[in-house]
Amino acid sequence: MAVRFLAREVSDLCLGKPALRFLPVSATVADALSALKRSGESHVSVWTCEHSPAANGGVGGDCLCVGKICMVDVICFLCRENNLLNPSSALQSPLSDLLSKSPGIIKHLEPHSSLLEAIDYILEGAQNLIVPIESSGSVTSRKKLQNKPSSFGSTLHNGHEFCWLTQEDVVRFLLSSIGVFSPIPAFTMKSLSVIDTDVMTIYYDDPASSALDSISLSLTEQKSIGVVDESNRLIGEISPCTIAACDETVAAAIMTLSAGDLMAYIDYSGPPEDLIQLVKARLEEKNLGAILDFMEEHSFSSLSFSSSCSSDEEFGLNRSGGSGRYGPARSSEPIVCHPWNSLMAAMIQALAHRVTHVWVVEEDYSIVGIVTFAGILKVFRSIAGGVQQKP
């Protein structure tokens, strides 16, 4: 029964998914920043397209999604040494400078591809799966019925539209029919060997800037950076999910604050005034007047709202926040479970909090490891054994 379920088509997961809006690869970082703020989405898809008739009747012709951009990419880009000296000029850089160099982050799938094939691509490193939208009516007719124009870019690629599936979408779909996989979801995470012990941590008092490479890596690996005390106990996290709800001025906070202070700065309640002043004072000490002027110019100016870090669905949280924030606030408090908790419990926690991972800790909060969506999907993939779906 489980194998038959995994043979279902990915089109079943696409029902109700909005058409994917996009930016061309020729756009600038400023274009991506504007699109993120105006769209209310956590990511912007980036495409290379030659809008000519589709070859041999193929869907989308020469259109290809080559990556995605989120606020974390923009913030890490602004934290580069040269860009700190002239952030306004950095925003005019080509969007290609931000695209991940990791191959396979985005994969194209046909609607009739199986769920098992989708899981295989995710286990190979894919974060988003691009699927053509099948419609009984023409795209042109459906477009005429839409009253709200696209907030950035078109959704059309040679007359066709696409949606994308995230790891969260796949895990949520599996949870909706969890009984099919019984009794495995009730097993403990320790017994299933699903806990990843390769974790990234930083001490509370360490400079947040020392975690810059880890922030970029955590975005790629769909993890976060644990903030720990001297006894290696988890006391918080610096998560791409949280940073993605912030605005570009958080680059200044990363370069001037400790890891502990950065957690308070990006937390859902917004940065305390004393931390804002501390950031400004330290920028002056470091002779980073350009980023200070940039911070002053862009603070308190963002009123858009973003969605979950792992899904493109509107979440409906209307919180404008203040300095350093452009979307619905997220807490720096980590979501945790224990090794003896069930796999299903970890799935429910991650989906309920709309995060891509759950920390695994002992009773005293010493870190055991982390459970990611990819790790969870690996367990479900093992149920199908050696079944091969991809050509």
mmCIF file of all heavy atoms in Angstrom, residues 84 87 249 252 276-277 279-285 287-299:
data_model
loop_
_atom_site.group_PDB
_atom_site.id
_atom_site.type_symbol
_atom_site.label_atom_id
_atom_site.label_comp_id
_atom_site.label_asym_id
_atom_site.label_seq_id
_atom_site.Cartn_x
_atom_site.Cartn_y
_atom_site.Cartn_z
ATOM 1 N N LEU A 84 29.851 46.236 1.870
ATOM 2 C CA LEU A 84 29.638 47.063 3.063
ATOM 3 C C LEU A 84 30.093 48.494 2.827
ATOM 4 O O LEU A 84 29.543 49.435 3.402
ATOM 5 C CB LEU A 84 30.405 46.475 4.255
ATOM 6 C CG LEU A 84 29.840 45.189 4.868
ATOM 7 C CD1 LEU A 84 30.829 44.619 5.877
ATOM 8 C CD2 LEU A 84 28.499 45.466 5.554
ATOM 9 N N PRO A 87 26.881 49.828 -0.176
ATOM 10 C CA PRO A 87 25.710 48.944 -0.307
ATOM 11 C C PRO A 87 24.751 49.353 -1.418
ATOM 12 O O PRO A 87 24.144 48.493 -2.061
ATOM 13 C CB PRO A 87 25.053 49.026 1.072
ATOM 14 C CG PRO A 87 25.571 50.294 1.684
ATOM 15 C CD PRO A 87 26.949 50.476 1.145
ATOM 16 N N THR A 249 18.531 45.765 6.205
ATOM 17 C CA THR A 249 19.364 46.472 7.172
ATOM 18 C C THR A 249 19.920 45.560 8.261
ATOM 19 O O THR A 249 20.812 45.955 9.012
ATOM 20 C CB THR A 249 18.572 47.615 7.843
ATOM 21 O OG1 THR A 249 17.499 47.066 8.614
ATOM 22 C CG2 THR A 249 18.008 48.572 6.804
ATOM 23 N N ALA A 252 23.709 45.060 8.820
ATOM 24 C CA ALA A 252 24.488 45.876 9.756
ATOM 25 C C ALA A 252 24.550 45.229 11.134
ATOM 26 O O ALA A 252 25.587 45.270 11.809
ATOM 27 C CB ALA A 252 23.874 47.278 9.857
ATOM 28 N N ILE A 276 19.611 48.838 18.530
ATOM 29 C CA ILE A 276 19.676 49.663 17.320
ATOM 30 C C ILE A 276 20.763 50.720 17.468
ATOM 31 O O ILE A 276 21.589 50.930 16.566
ATOM 32 C CB ILE A 276 18.318 50.330 17.037
ATOM 33 C CG1 ILE A 276 17.256 49.266 16.727
ATOM 34 C CG2 ILE A 276 18.435 51.308 15.866
ATOM 35 C CD1 ILE A 276 15.863 49.824 16.558
ATOM 36 N N GLN A 277 20.808 51.368 18.636
ATOM 37 C CA GLN A 277 21.830 52.397 18.868
ATOM 38 C C GLN A 277 23.222 51.780 18.949
ATOM 39 O O GLN A 277 24.204 52.395 18.513
ATOM 40 C CB GLN A 277 21.501 53.163 20.153
ATOM 41 C CG GLN A 277 20.187 53.939 20.103
ATOM 42 C CD GLN A 277 20.113 54.882 18.902
ATOM 43 O OE1 GLN A 277 21.093 55.557 18.557
ATOM 44 N NE2 GLN A 277 18.946 54.923 18.256
ATOM 45 N N VAL A 279 24.262 49.118 17.306
ATOM 46 C CA VAL A 279 24.664 48.835 15.927
ATOM 47 C C VAL A 279 25.199 50.098 15.272
ATOM 48 O O VAL A 279 26.267 50.091 14.633
ATOM 49 C CB VAL A 279 23.481 48.269 15.115
ATOM 50 C CG1 VAL A 279 23.815 48.227 13.619
ATOM 51 C CG2 VAL A 279 23.121 46.875 15.603
ATOM 52 N N LYS A 280 24.498 51.198 15.422
ATOM 53 C CA LYS A 280 24.918 52.459 14.809
ATOM 54 C C LYS A 280 26.267 52.922 15.359
ATOM 55 O O LYS A 280 27.150 53.366 14.603
ATOM 56 C CB LYS A 280 23.852 53.536 15.037
ATOM 57 C CG LYS A 280 22.537 53.252 14.313
ATOM 58 C CD LYS A 280 21.501 54.325 14.608
ATOM 59 C CE LYS A 280 20.201 54.052 13.869
ATOM 60 N NZ LYS A 280 19.164 55.077 14.156
ATOM 61 N N ALA A 281 26.444 52.797 16.670
ATOM 62 C CA ALA A 281 27.702 53.232 17.288
ATOM 63 C C ALA A 281 28.868 52.383 16.782
ATOM 64 O O ALA A 281 29.962 52.910 16.500
ATOM 65 C CB ALA A 281 27.588 53.139 18.804
ATOM 66 N N ARG A 282 28.667 51.093 16.667
ATOM 67 C CA ARG A 282 29.748 50.209 16.216
ATOM 68 C C ARG A 282 30.042 50.379 14.733
ATOM 69 O O ARG A 282 31.181 50.192 14.292
ATOM 70 C CB ARG A 282 29.402 48.756 16.539
ATOM 71 C CG ARG A 282 29.472 48.481 18.046
ATOM 72 C CD ARG A 282 29.183 47.035 18.395
ATOM 73 N NE ARG A 282 29.369 46.804 19.826
ATOM 74 C CZ ARG A 282 29.034 45.685 20.457
ATOM 75 N NH1 ARG A 282 28.491 44.677 19.772
ATOM 76 N NH2 ARG A 282 29.242 45.555 21.744
ATOM 77 N N LEU A 283 29.051 50.721 13.946
ATOM 78 C CA LEU A 283 29.307 51.022 12.540
ATOM 79 C C LEU A 283 30.200 52.252 12.418
ATOM 80 O O LEU A 283 31.109 52.294 11.571
ATOM 81 C CB LEU A 283 27.992 51.251 11.791
ATOM 82 C CG LEU A 283 27.125 50.017 11.541
ATOM 83 C CD1 LEU A 283 25.789 50.418 10.918
ATOM 84 C CD2 LEU A 283 27.838 49.018 10.627
ATOM 85 N N GLU A 284 29.955 53.247 13.262
ATOM 86 C CA GLU A 284 30.795 54.438 13.259
ATOM 87 C C GLU A 284 32.218 54.096 13.690
ATOM 88 O O GLU A 284 33.190 54.597 13.109
ATOM 89 C CB GLU A 284 30.201 55.511 14.175
ATOM 90 C CG GLU A 284 28.899 56.114 13.635
ATOM 91 C CD GLU A 284 28.319 57.155 14.581
ATOM 92 O OE1 GLU A 284 28.742 57.183 15.760
ATOM 93 O OE2 GLU A 284 27.454 57.926 14.145
ATOM 94 N N GLU A 285 32.344 53.227 14.698
ATOM 95 C CA GLU A 285 33.676 52.818 15.171
ATOM 96 C C GLU A 285 34.455 52.099 14.079
ATOM 97 O O GLU A 285 35.687 52.227 13.989
ATOM 98 C CB GLU A 285 33.535 51.896 16.387
ATOM 99 C CG GLU A 285 33.009 52.575 17.645
ATOM 100 C CD GLU A 285 32.730 51.578 18.751
ATOM 101 O OE1 GLU A 285 33.036 50.371 18.554
ATOM 102 O OE2 GLU A 285 32.209 51.981 19.799
ATOM 103 N N ASN A 287 34.192 52.646 10.950
ATOM 104 C CA ASN A 287 34.258 53.515 9.766
ATOM 105 C C ASN A 287 33.422 52.974 8.608
ATOM 106 O O ASN A 287 33.831 53.023 7.440
ATOM 107 C CB ASN A 287 35.717 53.703 9.312
ATOM 108 C CG ASN A 287 36.543 54.462 10.332
ATOM 109 O OD1 ASN A 287 36.087 55.455 10.903
ATOM 110 N ND2 ASN A 287 37.772 54.001 10.560
ATOM 111 N N LEU A 288 32.265 52.434 8.958
ATOM 112 C CA LEU A 288 31.339 51.919 7.954
ATOM 113 C C LEU A 288 30.173 52.897 7.788
ATOM 114 O O LEU A 288 29.003 52.562 7.977
ATOM 115 C CB LEU A 288 30.835 50.522 8.351
ATOM 116 C CG LEU A 288 31.890 49.410 8.333
ATOM 117 C CD1 LEU A 288 31.313 48.108 8.887
ATOM 118 C CD2 LEU A 288 32.422 49.185 6.920
ATOM 119 N N GLY A 289 30.527 54.119 7.442
ATOM 120 C CA GLY A 289 29.508 55.160 7.297
ATOM 121 C C GLY A 289 28.513 54.867 6.199
ATOM 122 O O GLY A 289 27.335 55.227 6.305
ATOM 123 N N ALA A 290 28.961 54.188 5.134
ATOM 124 C CA ALA A 290 28.062 53.914 4.008
ATOM 125 C C ALA A 290 26.930 52.986 4.429
ATOM 126 O O ALA A 290 25.766 53.216 4.091
ATOM 127 C CB ALA A 290 28.846 53.305 2.850
ATOM 128 N N ILE A 291 27.258 51.922 5.183
ATOM 129 C CA ILE A 291 26.208 50.998 5.614
ATOM 130 C C ILE A 291 25.335 51.643 6.687
ATOM 131 O O ILE A 291 24.143 51.344 6.801
ATOM 132 C CB ILE A 291 26.809 49.657 6.114
ATOM 133 C CG1 ILE A 291 25.721 48.578 6.240
ATOM 134 C CG2 ILE A 291 27.538 49.841 7.427
ATOM 135 C CD1 ILE A 291 25.196 48.067 4.960
ATOM 136 N N LEU A 292 25.913 52.582 7.470
ATOM 137 C CA LEU A 292 25.120 53.307 8.458
ATOM 138 C C LEU A 292 24.093 54.192 7.759
ATOM 139 O O LEU A 292 22.916 54.225 8.138
ATOM 140 C CB LEU A 292 26.032 54.144 9.358
ATOM 141 C CG LEU A 292 25.338 55.037 10.396
ATOM 142 C CD1 LEU A 292 24.447 54.201 11.313
ATOM 143 C CD2 LEU A 292 26.379 55.806 11.213
ATOM 144 N N ASP A 293 24.527 54.918 6.726
ATOM 145 C CA ASP A 293 23.590 55.752 5.957
ATOM 146 C C ASP A 293 22.524 54.889 5.297
ATOM 147 O O ASP A 293 21.347 55.257 5.237
ATOM 148 C CB ASP A 293 24.350 56.550 4.884
ATOM 149 C CG ASP A 293 25.279 57.601 5.478
ATOM 150 O OD1 ASP A 293 25.080 57.958 6.665
ATOM 151 O OD2 ASP A 293 26.203 58.041 4.772
ATOM 152 N N PHE A 294 22.947 53.729 4.812
ATOM 153 C CA PHE A 294 22.026 52.792 4.176
ATOM 154 C C PHE A 294 20.977 52.316 5.177
ATOM 155 O O PHE A 294 19.785 52.235 4.866
ATOM 156 C CB PHE A 294 22.835 51.602 3.636
ATOM 157 C CG PHE A 294 22.030 50.557 2.926
ATOM 158 C CD1 PHE A 294 21.663 50.719 1.601
ATOM 159 C CD2 PHE A 294 21.650 49.389 3.578
ATOM 160 C CE1 PHE A 294 20.926 49.741 0.937
ATOM 161 C CE2 PHE A 294 20.926 48.413 2.929
ATOM 162 C CZ PHE A 294 20.562 48.587 1.604
ATOM 163 N N MET A 295 21.427 52.021 6.393
ATOM 164 C CA MET A 295 20.524 51.569 7.445
ATOM 165 C C MET A 295 19.509 52.653 7.790
ATOM 166 O O MET A 295 18.311 52.391 7.941
ATOM 167 C CB MET A 295 21.345 51.190 8.680
ATOM 168 C CG MET A 295 20.536 50.661 9.847
ATOM 169 S SD MET A 295 21.601 50.243 11.240
ATOM 170 C CE MET A 295 20.373 49.730 12.454
ATOM 171 N N GLU A 296 19.990 53.887 7.909
ATOM 172 C CA GLU A 296 19.096 55.006 8.235
ATOM 173 C C GLU A 296 18.068 55.218 7.127
ATOM 174 O O GLU A 296 16.898 55.498 7.383
ATOM 175 C CB GLU A 296 19.924 56.283 8.416
ATOM 176 C CG GLU A 296 20.854 56.270 9.620
ATOM 177 C CD GLU A 296 20.122 56.576 10.916
ATOM 178 O OE1 GLU A 296 18.879 56.668 10.881
ATOM 179 O OE2 GLU A 296 20.793 56.724 11.948
ATOM 180 N N GLU A 297 18.503 55.063 5.888
ATOM 181 C CA GLU A 297 17.621 55.311 4.750
ATOM 182 C C GLU A 297 16.540 54.261 4.618
ATOM 183 O O GLU A 297 15.392 54.554 4.266
ATOM 184 C CB GLU A 297 18.451 55.360 3.458
ATOM 185 C CG GLU A 297 17.622 55.573 2.202
ATOM 186 C CD GLU A 297 18.471 55.537 0.951
ATOM 187 O OE1 GLU A 297 19.723 55.517 1.072
ATOM 188 O OE2 GLU A 297 17.887 55.527 -0.149
ATOM 189 N N HIS A 298 16.898 53.001 4.926
ATOM 190 C CA HIS A 298 15.975 51.896 4.676
ATOM 191 C C HIS A 298 15.180 51.459 5.905
ATOM 192 O O HIS A 298 14.215 50.719 5.769
ATOM 193 C CB HIS A 298 16.740 50.697 4.115
ATOM 194 C CG HIS A 298 17.221 50.913 2.715
ATOM 195 N ND1 HIS A 298 16.598 50.369 1.625
ATOM 196 C CD2 HIS A 298 18.268 51.639 2.231
ATOM 197 C CE1 HIS A 298 17.234 50.730 0.511
ATOM 198 N NE2 HIS A 298 18.257 51.492 0.860
ATOM 199 N N SER A 299 15.586 51.868 7.102
ATOM 200 C CA SER A 299 14.860 51.466 8.308
ATOM 201 C C SER A 299 13.469 52.069 8.330
ATOM 202 O O SER A 299 13.234 53.173 7.836
ATOM 203 C CB SER A 299 15.619 51.912 9.562
ATOM 204 O OG SER A 299 16.797 51.174 9.725
#
